[in-house]
Amino acid sequence: MSNSSFERPDRIQFEDADYDFSTLAIRAGQQRTDEGEHNDPIYPTSSFVYSSAREAAARFSGDEEGNIYSRFTNPTVIAFEKRMAALEGGDRAVATSSGMAAILSTCIALLQQGDHVVCSQSVFGSTISLFEKYLSRTGISVTFVDPTQVSAWQAAVTPKTRMFFMETPSNPLSELTDIEAVSTLAHSHDALLVVDNCFCTPALQQPLTQGADIVIHSATKYLDGQGRCVGGVVVGRDAEMEEVFGFIRTGGACLSPFNAWVFMKGLETLELRMKAHSASALELAQWLQQQTGIATVHYSGLVEHPQHELAKKQQSAFGGVLSFEVEGDQAAAWRFIDATKMISITGNLGDVKSTITHPYTTTHGRMTEQAKADAGIKQTLIRVSVGLESVADIKADLLLGLAAI
Ligand SMILES: *Cc1c(COP(=O)(O)O)cnc(C)c1O
């Protein structure tokens, strides 16, 4: 600490300040130490020490606040949590070891035996398996619905419904759900609305400000943004987050401090990246529409998209993921993918590197034929997560694919 009479507060509470998104993404949550480090510090330690046995006892009993063990709290993880809470506009965030751990922990912490969940049928494949195969064993039941129809959400409600779960826009077809309308419905039935905000991130869409109760992220995708670490986070009100935190510290699905630090570096450029991903994806979607060999393009930024107006209302841009159907059969789609040279063939998304995948046989491969048909996942469908390479180079690569159909 300096003795200067002109002192700046050493710990500004950015969560409370009226700063813009890009400022919060760079500065919220940093706890500068007496070393005066400019960048966020990283604390790779499993446990913490006490000055006395009395202090140790007070920490363990909860009479004194402070770190005990990194499964419970870690300063680097706390800094990431504070930054995420600030960006999503929640009271508090709880970081988790993966996006799936974030979903599991939220359900275990806030639901009990006999409860019912209404879930979009177009959520991430592992989310469907989690509900169908594992949470069902604990007596939590689920009904999957067409995410685009508010009436379908309504029709699925039972007296036991306690949670609505959605992902908007959806993967890979860019289907939207009206967050405000479904939140009103959920609240009229005393149920929580949980939104997996992976595809937009808070840079493009803040579900808590539109009526959602809880936001979930796979930090693995755009929050990292460069394909380095697996992690997740849950954001919401203090009351629910205390329950989620209680489960994480007991159940052990905690985030490592190194991964939290990488995600904080990712957040610093989140807004810039999301704007750039969205601009490139829109340009490519419009361009793909004009190419022969392409039957349909799915991207909510296109004026032809049936929910384009809703996308403009609840998002500030349309995101970096698009999909399209090629003319022909599955073999034509595979020839397209195999003919590209630069774009990575991988199921991951939200990376600076563009990726291309065939959902029918990979990310959605374990769904039944009927479920794929219901969800509109065709054999001719290809998904591209548009990265930050030059748009001209991405087009040139896609032209190789088109020539191979
Ligand atoms: C990847 C993904 C998840 C799961 O996240 P992991 O970090 O892989 O566990 C959940 N939801 C969506 C929308 C995803 O894309």
Side-chain angles (χ1 to χ4, degrees):
M1 285 287 194
S2 107
N3 292 321
S4 145
S5 57
F6 177 66
E7 266 190 29
R8 295 164 54 123
D10 66 340
R11 286 182 185 180
I12 299 170
Q13 289 297 311
F14 280 91
E15 298 80 353
D16 303 331
D18 191 19
Y19 287 104
D20 288 336
F21 186 92
S22 49
T23 307
L24 294 171
I26 291 168
R27 291 187 176 270
Q30 182 171 4
Q31 297 265 313
R32 197 163 283 150
T33 73
D34 289 347
E35 297 295 342
E37 72 282 353
H38 190 204
N39 191 20
D40 301 89
I42 176 168
Y43 295 85
T45 181
S46 50
S47 74
F48 299 84
V49 298
Y50 319 99
S51 59
S52 65
R54 190 208 58 76
E55 193 190 17
R59 291 265 182 97
F60 272 81
S61 69
D63 290 344
E64 246 175 47
E65 280 193 18
N67 298 305
I68 298 173
Y69 185 52
S70 283
R71 169 152 51 78
F72 309 165
T73 59
N74 174 283
T76 319
V77 176
I78 289 175
F80 168 62
E81 290 172 336
K82 287 193 168 167
R83 196 165 293 178
M84 280 308 298
L87 295 182
E88 286 287 6
D91 294 341
R92 181 173 171 189
V94 181
T96 59
S97 54
S98 68
M100 290 317 302
I103 299 172
L104 172 67
S105 304
T106 302
C107 292
I108 295 290
L110 300 173
L111 297 171
Q112 50 188 339
Q113 187 179 16
D115 285 353
H116 174 248
V117 178
V118 183
C119 184
S120 158
Q121 72 194 9
S122 303
V123 292
F124 190 62
S126 297
T127 307
I128 293 186
S129 304
L130 181 68
F131 279 118
E132 268 189 340
K133 244 182 113 177
Y134 298 103
L135 287 171
S136 59
R137 293 182 195 171
T138 69
I140 296 167
S141 60
V142 61
T143 304
F144 294 104
V145 298
D146 176 346
T148 64
Q149 304 298 321
V150 179
S151 57
W153 293 84
Q154 165 107 56
V157 174
T158 77
K160 299 278 194 187
T161 303
R162 287 292 159 265
M163 183 184 284
F164 285 49
F165 191 102
M166 64 165 72
E167 213 175 278
T168 177
S170 73
N171 172 25
L173 294 176
S174 265
E175 291 171 323
L176 271 73
T177 305
D178 188 327
I179 298 172
E180 208 178 314
V182 174
S183 79
T184 304
L185 181 65
H187 298 155
S188 74
H189 293 281
D190 209 18
L192 294 168
L193 172 58
V194 180
V195 178
D196 181 335
N197 200 24
C198 178
F199 278 72
C200 276
T201 83
L204 305 186
Q205 170 175 276
Q206 291 166 309
L208 298 179
T209 67
Q210 301 181 39
D213 301 288
I214 292 170
V215 163
I216 281 177
H217 280 283
S218 166
T220 317
K221 313 292 167 52
Y222 288 109
L223 302 189
D224 176 328
Q226 294 175 60
R228 298 163 292 193
C229 294
V230 174
V233 64
V234 187
V235 194
R237 284 182 295 263
D238 278 326
E240 282 92 12
M241 290 310 102
E242 186 58 27
E243 295 297 317
V244 175
F245 173 67
F247 176 71
I248 298 289
R249 68 171 270 170
T250 309
C254 55
L255 182 63
S256 92
F258 178 76
N259 289 9
W261 184 84
V262 171
F263 295 147
M264 273 197 290
K265 298 302 100 187
L267 291 180
E268 292 174 358
T269 56
L270 180 67
E271 192 179 27
L272 279 175
R273 285 187 288 107
M274 292 313 292
K275 283 181 178 166
H277 281 294
S278 299
S280 296
L282 180 59
E283 185 177 338
L284 286 168
Q286 289 167 341
W287 174 80
L288 279 165
Q289 272 186 316
Q290 291 157 10
Q291 306 307 309
T292 42
I294 302 290
T296 323
V297 181
H298 303 277
Y299 186 65
S300 68
L302 296 172
V303 289
E304 295 83 0
H305 187 283
Q307 295 171 299
H308 180 61
E309 288 307 314
L310 178 61
K312 283 203 290 190
K313 181 183 149 224
Q314 61 188 25
Q315 304 168 199
S316 62
F318 308 104
V321 178
L322 59 84
S323 66
F324 53 89
E325 286 153 32
V326 296
E327 276 162 10
D329 52 9
Q330 175 172 310
W334 279 20
R335 281 198 302 277
F336 185 114
I337 292 170
D338 291 347
T340 59
K341 277 198 316 202
M342 183 264 295
I343 302 175
S344 317
I345 304 178
T346 171
N348 199 30
L349 60 94
D351 197 304
V352 289
K353 295 186 174 80
S354 295
T355 68
I356 190 164
T357 192
H358 184 244
Y360 193 91
T361 50
T362 62
T363 54
H364 294 66
R366 281 192 283 172
M367 287 167 74
T368 62
E369 299 292 309
Q370 188 57 47
K372 283 190 244 197
D374 291 346
I377 310 295
K378 297 190 183 157
Q379 281 160 301
T380 53
L381 185 72
I382 293 173
R383 185 194 73 194
V384 173
S385 168
V386 179
L388 300 183
E389 306 96 339
S390 123
V391 179
D393 287 336
I394 301 174
K395 276 184 194 165
D397 221 38
L398 295 176
L399 278 173
L400 297 174
L402 280 163
I405 296 177

